[in-house]
Amino acid sequence: MNKLSLEEIEKAMQNNVWHFGNEILYKMCRENFEHTNDEHILAKILFIGRIYAAAIERRKTKNNDINDNFYIDAVAPAFRKSEIDKYLTQLKSFESLEIDNLKFALQTHYYLTKVINEITELNKRSLVSKYLHFHLPELFFIYDTRAVQALRYFISKVPNSLKHLLELENVDTEYSTFFCKCYTLKIEIENQFNLKISNRHLDNLLIENANSKNSAQKILAFK
């Protein structure tokens, strides 16, 4: 497994060019946390999904509904009628991820994935992770293929102390595996370098690492 340097960690903790845009999304979700107003629901899922290349309208469908109709007639009612606020309110009482509350985050992710699956017929684990992250940034890690790829360089498997989480009912095994590895790496970094990093910082670290690896591979391919 690769080792991280303090320089890499400190770079990941600095504000990058995406910071301003992310702060707008954090503020929108913080100030419109619940799912009772259609306008708020649609703005949140639309902005997060499209900005993060995980739009909810990408789905299996047998009809020709335009995207606006899908959002108004399917997405907003699905969120409003769901129990997602019940899950999020429970999680809001936690300031950070701890061993005792990891399962609640994973079950919330699974629940919202199931809600969205009912209207898209697709597994939207990446979209759900991003959507939940902007509501509770310290409790959810952002799942995407680049982060999954980069994580493999640092964590080979879920530690034995967390494997029981993968066997719980009502969790998505793929996201749970990624989540547990992220949590493990975060704790290892904090212990090794005696500092606190956020889930966003960890995402910055993984994405930067993935981009660097991809760039190096492209250079080698042209040699």
Side-chain angles (χ1 to χ4, degrees):
M1 293 292 100
N2 293 0
K3 290 185 178 180
L4 289 163
S5 66
L6 180 59
E7 182 181 5
E8 288 178 283
I9 305 301
E10 290 178 338
K11 181 179 179 180
M13 295 177 71
Q14 296 173 359
N15 293 342
N16 57 29
V17 295
W18 308 112
H19 176 75
F20 179 75
N22 286 330
E23 285 301 309
I24 292 174
L25 297 180
Y26 286 127
K27 184 174 186 290
M28 176 176 64
C29 293
R30 184 170 59 249
E31 295 181 354
N32 305 281
F33 189 77
E34 296 181 344
H35 296 79
T36 56
N37 181 296
D38 284 4
E39 292 181 12
H40 298 168
I41 293 170
L42 295 183
K44 290 189 292 183
I45 195 66
L46 177 65
F47 291 176
I48 294 171
R50 290 193 176 177
I51 289 172
Y52 273 79
I56 195 172
E57 69 262 22
R58 296 173 186 169
R59 64 196 194 279
K60 290 182 180 178
T61 180
K62 295 179 181 178
N63 57 44
N64 295 313
D65 283 350
I66 61 172
N67 291 339
D68 286 352
N69 286 346
F70 175 66
Y71 274 91
I72 295 168
D73 298 335
V75 176
F79 274 81
R80 187 167 17 86
K81 294 174 183 177
S82 75
E83 296 185 348
I84 189 58
D85 285 339
K86 173 183 171 184
Y87 283 83
L88 292 178
T89 299
Q90 179 189 36
L91 287 174
K92 203 174 183 180
S93 63
F94 303 128
E95 295 182 0
S96 62
L97 286 172
E98 307 290 346
I99 290 292
D100 293 338
N101 62 34
L102 300 182
K103 68 177 182 179
F104 299 116
L106 293 176
Q107 289 171 341
T108 300
H109 177 274
Y110 175 83
Y111 174 75
L112 187 54
T113 300
K114 186 172 65 172
V115 169
I116 292 178
N117 177 265
E118 291 177 358
I119 57 175
T120 65
E121 298 183 44
L122 292 173
N123 186 317
K124 295 281 188 174
R125 68 169 60 92
S126 179
L127 169 62
V128 172
S129 74
K130 294 164 183 175
Y131 189 81
L132 293 173
H133 171 81
F134 279 102
H135 285 77
L136 295 169
E138 292 309 316
L139 300 186
F140 291 95
F141 298 103
I142 295 176
Y143 177 101
D144 69 21
T145 54
R146 289 180 299 167
V148 171
Q149 173 191 359
L151 194 56
R152 296 193 185 106
Y153 295 115
F154 306 111
I155 299 288
S156 60
K157 59 184 179 180
V158 174
N160 291 334
S161 60
L162 299 180
K163 282 186 176 179
H164 68 281
L165 294 170
L166 309 183
E167 300 171 358
L168 293 173
E169 292 185 6
N170 301 329
V171 301
D172 173 34
T173 303
E174 176 70 20
Y175 181 69
S176 299
T177 300
F178 172 79
F179 181 99
C180 289
K181 287 182 178 181
C182 284
Y183 176 75
T184 301
L185 180 59
K186 180 180 177 182
I187 297 300
E188 288 182 357
I189 290 172
E190 292 180 342
N191 290 339
Q192 179 180 350
F193 296 100
N194 193 29
L195 48 75
K196 284 287 185 182
I197 67 169
S198 68
N199 292 349
R200 169 59 67 182
H201 294 153
L202 185 66
D203 184 67
N204 291 344
L205 179 68
L206 294 175
I207 296 303
E208 177 62 27
N209 189 273
N211 289 342
S212 297
K213 291 287 191 301
N214 289 336
S215 295
Q217 290 171 359
K218 287 179 181 178
I219 292 173
L220 289 174
F222 281 101
K223 287 185 176 180

